Amino acid sequence: MASTSEKATSLSSSCCASAEIRDSTPSSAADQSPAAVDRVIGERPSNLTRPVESLPESPTVTSSAVAKGVSMPWKTRTSHPLDPLSATEIKVAVATVRAAGATPEERDSMRFIEVVLVEPEKHVIAMADAYFFPPFQPSLLPRVKGRPVIPSKLPPRQARLIVYSKKSNETSIWVVEFLEIHATTRGGHHRGKVISSKVIPDVQPPMDAVEYAECEAVVKDYPPFREAMKRRGIEDMDLVMVDAWCVGYHSEADAPRRRLAKPLIFCRTESDCPMENGYARPVEGIHVLVDMQNMVLIEFEDKKFVPLPPADPLRNYTPGETRGGVDRSDVKPLLIIQPEGPSFRVKGHYVEWQKWSFRIGFTPREGLVIHSVAYVDGSRGHRSVAQRLSFVEMVVPYGDPNEPHYRKNAFDAGEDGLGKNAHSLKKGCDCLGYIKYFDSHFTNFTGGVETIENCVCLHEEDHGMLWKHQDWRTGLAEVRRSRRLTVSFICTVANYEYGFYWHFYQDGKIEAEVRLTGILSVGALLPGEVRKYGTTIAPGLYAPVHQHFFVARMDMAVDCKPGEALNQVVELNIKVEEPGKDNVHNNAFYAEEKVLKSELQAMRDCSPLTARHWIVRNTRTVNRTGQLTGYKLVPGSNCLPLAGPEAKFLRRAAFLKHNLWVTPYAHNEMFPGGEFPNQNPRAGEGLGSWVKQNRSLEEADVVLWYVFGLTHIPRLEDWPVMPVEHLGFMLMPHGFFNCSPAVDVPPNTHESDIKETNGVVAKPVQNGLIAKL
């Protein structure tokens, strides 16, 4: 993902009224003054970034010399070690791996599932943030005899590639180091070096969109399938939709020695509506198994004839009469304007806003990643909160035991990739106001580079009232409105849409939110049939009950410098005091703390009856009252799997058995179901096996794995589109600040709300008079 050149769009009265910020770097010579640069991007103007190439390796420089502008010993680097891979880097990585193939046949059979940045160790990130990239933070590095150790250069960036061989059905992992990359427009050359490669046995990598398209074409071209569709009255194959779902793992027949898919079939009507909802007509009774390696049908059976649901005029979601309704005509324009522009500042992938700072990353699997979250706290400077925040997996198990629904338990991150299915937001109303967009770059199946423009949205939102108090004696009141900074992306996985959001608040809170919308995955019914495992939502159509689970991985670093392992996790529960001398009025209750000392002890579930929450504390840093500083995880609404303990999908998703898991940081422990959950025959791989080491957490570099979800019992009102469902959790300061940062929020300077007086719409003006509009 990379920023592109600056481009601003004018405000309009449409639902997409917004201004777009494409890059904050000044573009004209007049804007190149240090003051202008400092104002726009928030970096230190000046001589701190003058490159000096001749100084010796690992020199030391005093802090006073730094303050006076002594030249620094490094070459200018354009890419921070955490910046996502550029399109050029992806091309270099693919070309390097392809060139390493032993034969032309091997090279031709390579399919590129994923090319992603190898994120460096934390000490490398600390080096970069200390002296190579603004805002420079020398305090992040260790000091020798009171002087900071300044490295001469950063290590080269690396890419990690997952490669699938169509010829051998093998999956391999490659690591490529970038030796030298110059822009092709400058006539430069590109070089990469293979650092390592290994074949991973007994796995299947995620499916790709190219495979889905090929699978649909193969199924629709299969003569017995065409005959089966004719029996259902369909001869036009252009109306047929084939969604290639992964088979999961239910028996040895699903073992990864073959790359398999069991498609779901749907069919549009004769409608000429280009946005017709084809998911409204599921094709029941046809069993198809596809060998995705060789793209051939290996099993086909027309098991049971179920008529296609009738064409329902309420099936569509497009405007007006095409969906059997009339659009509302009484909605007036609602404009989001910021006359002086946004309050955030962006340089590359580095963001500053209201004392918050962080870096934006993006991967094909996780989508949005938030790095190096810190809060500027007066004289205490940048205080670290978290090293890395992301959504690493999601699972959607269905509760209908009938074919084909019992197999519907998608791992949408591990089997498909949330990032690779992200939207371009430039044409939607997904964000309003002044917006900074970030593009993302991916490899496609054959090794080319594809770009999703405007993939990530960064913008400010009004969020109601932050705080208020009125003194009843004087009648005087103080009130502040809340504003939050939102970073988000939206992806589509088959019929469902998922929006992923990280909200940063002025009072030090961080909120993680998932919004679910899109179209239900439905089944067809025989005339007069009713299913107990779902809701009838239209004639001949029902939606099964199901659950959605998401896993947030939070590499915490509360008040820690890189490399420090000084955090612990404490669980708090409300306890009711026993009747007796300490509770003579029977009204007493209190919060009881318990340190989670090991991984097995830290396998925990939510408990709303005891207001259970968890605090990540720094074991060495205290606030003004002498308490350890911390951030607490406050659960939102949540659930656990409703399937039985022997459910097949729980073999691959053992991490769903608890809402909270805690592990000490390990560089290779990233995905709770293991890296390759597709057709995975190994029970409990990933988080379920890591915690069996029962490593100590009493003072550690802790990683929180929070599992949250909802149980969806479909309603009639969820058809043809499901209104957004919200779920998530909060990370809140707990003794982290000496007092609430919200105290520092100034009163709003914008005008008061519009008022209506004697039928005349008016608003207050600065001199206190009423001006008619």
Side-chain angles (χ1 to χ4, degrees):
M1 179 174 60
S3 304
T4 57
S5 60
E6 180 169 347
K7 178 179 71 177
T9 59
S10 60
L11 293 172
S12 70
S13 60
S14 69
C15 73
C16 302
S18 65
E20 178 183 349
I21 305 169
R22 298 298 296 172
D23 201 304
S24 59
T25 306
S27 57
S28 66
D31 290 333
Q32 296 299 319
S33 68
V37 174
D38 188 45
R39 181 180 66 254
V40 175
I41 64 177
E43 69 179 71
R44 300 179 186 178
S46 86
N47 40 17
L48 285 184
T49 58
R50 287 199 307 246
V52 175
E53 303 176 10
S54 59
L55 293 184
E57 195 82 0
S58 299
T60 59
V61 176
T62 65
S63 57
S64 61
V66 172
K68 294 178 180 178
V70 172
S71 299
M72 291 298 153
W74 55 77
K75 294 183 179 180
T76 300
R77 278 277 296 265
T78 57
S79 295
H80 187 276
L82 291 175
D83 285 352
L85 295 179
S86 67
T88 299
E89 287 174 317
I90 293 174
K91 290 177 183 177
V92 171
V94 169
T96 302
V97 169
R98 184 170 275 142
T103 65
E105 292 77 12
E106 181 180 341
R107 293 192 289 271
D108 290 343
S109 71
M110 286 181 174
R111 298 295 181 266
F112 294 87
I113 304 297
E114 179 180 287
V115 181
V116 68
L117 174 74
V118 176
E119 295 178 14
E121 295 290 348
K122 295 181 180 182
H123 75 275
V124 175
I125 300 171
M127 287 165 49
D129 291 339
Y131 289 110
F132 287 77
F133 294 89
F136 306 104
Q137 304 172 63
S139 62
L140 293 178
L141 290 186
R143 306 172 79 86
V144 176
K145 296 181 179 179
R147 298 179 177 182
V149 177
I150 304 178
S152 62
K153 62 181 180 180
L154 293 174
R157 281 159 62 89
Q158 295 181 342
R160 186 175 187 269
L161 299 88
I162 299 176
V163 181
Y164 172 71
S165 172
K166 287 278 284 185
K167 178 182 178 182
S168 64
N169 193 37
E170 289 181 333
T171 300
S172 57
I173 294 178
W174 301 67
V175 176
V176 170
E177 184 173 277
F178 301 112
L179 300 180
E180 191 171 345
I181 300 179
H182 301 294
T184 55
T185 55
R186 299 201 311 239
H189 56 281
H190 318 289
R191 292 193 295 138
K193 176 184 177 182
V194 175
I195 301 300
S196 66
S197 66
K198 61 179 179 179
V199 173
I200 310 299
D202 203 28
V203 300
Q204 284 294 337
M207 293 289 187
D208 186 85
V210 171
E211 292 180 288
Y212 291 151
E214 291 177 354
C215 177
E216 180 174 72
V218 166
V219 171
K220 289 162 68 170
D221 197 45
Y222 189 65
F225 176 78
R226 299 173 75 95
E227 289 298 320
M229 294 305 298
K230 282 184 181 179
R231 285 193 290 274
R232 290 161 173 81
I234 303 299
E235 297 191 20
D236 184 358
M237 287 296 108
D238 288 340
L239 298 175
V240 177
M241 299 163 46
V242 180
D243 281 7
W245 282 54
C246 297
V247 299
Y249 186 85
H250 293 264
S251 68
E252 182 59 23
D254 302 327
R257 62 179 177 272
R258 300 182 298 175
R259 188 165 175 80
L260 302 174
K262 284 198 171 182
L264 299 179
I265 315 298
F266 304 87
C267 187
R268 293 185 172 93
T269 69
E270 299 290 339
S271 170
D272 59 357
C273 174
M275 290 289 289
E276 181 187 353
N277 178 15
Y279 289 111
R281 301 183 80 204
V283 179
E284 292 275 356
I286 295 180
H287 166 82
V288 180
L289 182 65
V290 179
D291 179 339
M292 300 291 280
Q293 176 192 0
N294 303 298
M295 278 303 161
V296 295
L297 268 74
I298 55 179
E299 291 181 16
F300 176 84
E301 186 179 358
D302 192 352
K303 289 185 173 183
K304 178 172 130 180
F305 179 80
V306 179
L308 286 172
D312 188 343
L314 300 180
R315 71 190 178 281
N316 286 338
Y317 48 83
T318 45
E321 296 180 358
T322 60
R323 55 167 172 73
V326 177
D327 289 335
R328 302 178 190 185
S329 60
D330 59 347
V331 178
K332 302 296 190 295
L334 176 62
L335 301 181
I336 308 297
I337 61 172
Q338 293 175 266
E340 298 179 15
S343 301
F344 57 78
R345 295 178 290 186
V346 179
K347 174 62 175 177
H349 293 84
Y350 181 74
V351 178
E352 290 180 310
W353 177 83
Q354 290 287 284
K355 302 186 180 182
W356 285 109
S357 65
F358 54 86
R359 291 190 176 274
I360 290 178
F362 204 88
T363 73
R365 181 166 181 162
E366 303 158 276
L368 178 62
V369 180
I370 308 294
H371 296 282
S372 304
V373 180
Y375 192 93
V376 180
D377 188 13
S379 61
R380 302 185 68 172
H382 282 74
R383 300 179 65 187
S384 174
V385 175
Q387 284 287 338
R388 193 180 192 277
L389 307 172
S390 71
F391 296 96
V392 287
E393 191 55 272
M394 61 171 293
V395 184
V396 188
Y398 280 70
D400 188 338
N402 296 287
E403 282 274 11
H405 308 288
Y406 77 91
R407 281 187 173 271
K408 289 157 66 174
N409 40 71
F411 286 61
D412 287 333
E415 292 178 342
D416 288 284
L418 302 177
K420 291 187 74 170
N421 288 286
H423 300 175
S424 173
L425 303 176
K426 64 184 178 182
K427 294 182 180 179
C429 297
D430 308 288
C431 307
L432 294 176
Y434 269 84
I435 301 166
K436 166 64 180 173
Y437 286 116
F438 297 85
D439 301 339
S440 60
H441 304 290
F442 304 106
T443 179
N444 59 27
F445 203 41
T446 56
V449 177
E450 297 183 359
T451 297
I452 302 177
E453 294 183 350
N454 301 352
C455 185
V456 171
C457 172
L458 173 73
H459 72 291
E460 293 175 289
E461 295 179 341
D462 179 89
H463 196 250
M465 185 169 59
L466 177 63
W467 62 268
K468 181 175 183 176
H469 178 66
Q470 178 167 311
D471 188 321
W472 64 269
R473 293 178 177 85
T474 64
L476 299 177
E478 281 290 315
V479 63
R480 302 290 189 273
R481 288 201 68 78
S482 176
R483 184 180 299 191
R484 67 185 185 185
L485 183 70
T486 296
V487 197
S488 64
F489 82 103
I490 302 172
C491 67
T492 297
V493 186
N495 51 294
Y496 259 108
E497 267 72 23
Y498 300 97
F500 296 90
Y501 301 79
W502 291 95
H503 305 291
F504 294 84
Y505 290 85
Q506 293 165 301
D507 60 349
K509 294 196 302 282
I510 304 172
E511 180 183 14
E513 182 186 16
V514 180
R515 300 176 186 176
L516 300 80
T517 182
I519 300 173
L520 297 169
S521 182
V522 296
L525 299 172
L526 289 167
E529 184 182 9
V530 176
R531 290 274 179 93
K532 66 185 290 187
Y533 306 105
T535 303
T536 301
I537 57 174
L541 198 64
Y542 88 107
V545 294
H546 57 280
Q547 294 182 292
H548 298 261
F549 290 101
F550 304 86
V551 184
R553 179 184 181 274
M554 294 167 282
D555 181 1
M556 303 300 292
V558 177
D559 265 337
C560 287
K561 294 180 180 180
E564 291 185 343
L566 302 177
N567 283 173
Q568 63 179 196
V569 180
V570 177
E571 179 176 287
L572 270 73
N573 288 281
I574 294 298
K575 296 287 186 179
V576 175
E577 186 68 78
E578 294 292 333
K581 64 177 182 178
D582 294 328
N583 189 20
V584 294
H585 303 292
N586 289 313
N587 70 312
F589 58 92
Y590 60 97
E592 182 180 75
E593 295 185 1
K594 178 182 179 182
V595 177
L596 303 180
K597 297 182 179 181
S598 67
E599 290 178 284
L600 293 180
Q601 193 179 22
M603 297 160 54
R604 308 297 296 163
D605 296 329
C606 294
S607 176
L609 295 180
T610 63
R612 179 175 296 167
H613 59 273
W614 300 276
I615 301 175
V616 180
R617 283 182 174 160
N618 187 290
T619 57
R620 309 288 180 90
T621 306
V622 297
N623 55 33
R624 65 173 180 169
T625 64
Q627 299 169 325
L628 297 176
T629 60
Y631 254 79
K632 68 178 181 179
L633 168 59
V634 181
S637 60
N638 210 334
C639 62
L640 288 169
L642 295 174
E646 301 303 317
K648 299 296 183 183
F649 76 90
L650 287 177
R651 287 177 55 92
R652 300 187 293 151
F655 54 87
L656 298 184
K657 295 179 180 179
H658 296 286
N659 296 128
L660 180 76
W661 307 69
V662 186
T663 62
Y665 170 80
H667 193 68
N668 60 342
E669 294 181 2
M670 283 297 300
F671 305 111
E675 182 161 20
F676 300 103
N678 186 14
Q679 297 179 237
N680 184 3
R682 296 168 293 279
E685 188 172 80
L687 192 53
S689 62
W690 299 334
V691 299
K692 292 179 181 178
Q693 302 171 73
N694 204 24
R695 293 165 289 189
S696 173
L697 300 173
E698 290 190 77
E699 190 173 63
D701 183 355
V702 301
V703 177
L704 303 182
W705 309 76
Y706 182 61
V707 182
F708 61 105
L710 62 82
T711 301
H712 190 184
I713 303 172
R715 310 167 299 157
L716 186 62
E717 292 80 5
D718 290 335
W719 188 255
V721 290
M722 189 187 80
V724 169
E725 295 269 4
H726 300 259
L727 68 157
F729 60 92
M730 280 281 190
L731 291 171
M732 304 177 67
H734 187 86
F736 188 79
F737 300 106
N738 284 331
C739 67
S740 172
V743 174
D744 298 333
V745 177
N748 289 317
T749 57
H750 61 71
E751 294 175 329
S752 302
D753 295 337
I754 293 177
K755 299 180 179 179
E756 185 171 339
T757 305
N758 297 325
V760 178
V761 177
K763 63 178 181 179
V765 294
Q766 288 184 345
N767 60 8
L769 301 177
I770 298 296
K772 294 185 178 180
L773 297 181

